[in-house]
Amino acid sequence: MEIKTCKFCGAPIVWLKTQNGRPMPCNTEAVKYQENYKGKDVIVLSDGKVIKATVVNPNGGGLAPIVDGEGYISHFATCTHADEARTPRPTIEAVAPNIPPATQTPREYTQEDIFSLADAYEAQEAASRERRKW
């Protein structure tokens, strides 16, 4: 894995590809975890699977914890500038600033239009039921 630097906080990070194909920045140190769906930590495994878990310290005192494996903590959880790093979703005005506002009045449907739409809907539903049969 190639180690990069976070452009917001300067910490060393690695980019792991998640199962859905998106890159995720993670801390460079691998941590031992115990898988737990109620865990407070989000762990990214080297194969891209993202799980909820609890980070364990096997060198701590007391009973030895059960370690399910090693993974990486998402850098968003530890970055001091994580809010700056998240890209905001674009607004309509930013994507298409030259679209004029809607000036047309709503269309009035006649009885024939409604029957035609109902027939088209019924035909589409019948075709869908046919496809679901097999």
Side-chain angles (χ1 to χ4, degrees):
M1 284 185 277
E2 187 176 352
I3 296 177
K4 302 280 187 176
T5 303
C6 175
K7 65 181 178 179
F8 296 98
C9 70
I13 59 171
V14 292
W15 287 89
L16 297 177
K17 200 168 280 258
T18 60
Q19 282 184 329
N20 62 3
R22 298 184 72 188
M24 179 183 277
C26 296
N27 294 342
T28 56
E29 308 87 31
V31 295
K32 295 184 185 312
Y33 68 88
Q34 182 178 21
E35 197 164 349
N36 178 0
Y37 73 95
K38 290 185 177 181
K40 65 179 183 65
D41 301 306
V42 176
I43 306 292
V44 182
L45 305 180
S46 56
D47 65 353
K49 186 175 179 184
V50 179
I51 60 170
K52 294 283 281 181
T54 303
V55 174
V56 296
N57 183 4
N59 298 333
L63 296 174
I66 298 171
V67 176
D68 291 327
E70 283 190 349
Y72 299 88
I73 295 179
S74 169
H75 186 62
F76 286 118
T78 59
C79 184
T80 55
H81 302 285
D83 291 336
E84 297 171 31
R86 290 185 177 90
T87 55
R89 297 194 184 272
T91 61
I92 299 268
E93 293 79 20
V95 174
N98 297 328
I99 295 179
T103 56
Q104 295 179 349
T105 58
R107 178 178 173 194
E108 292 291 324
Y109 288 100
T110 65
Q111 192 75 21
E112 292 173 10
D113 291 335
I114 293 172
F115 286 138
S116 174
L117 289 171
D119 291 340
Y121 175 77
E122 191 58 41
Q124 185 179 18
E125 281 294 309
S128 177
R129 281 193 298 273
E130 274 302 309
R131 282 193 302 272
R132 283 185 261 152
K133 281 184 181 176
W134 50 283

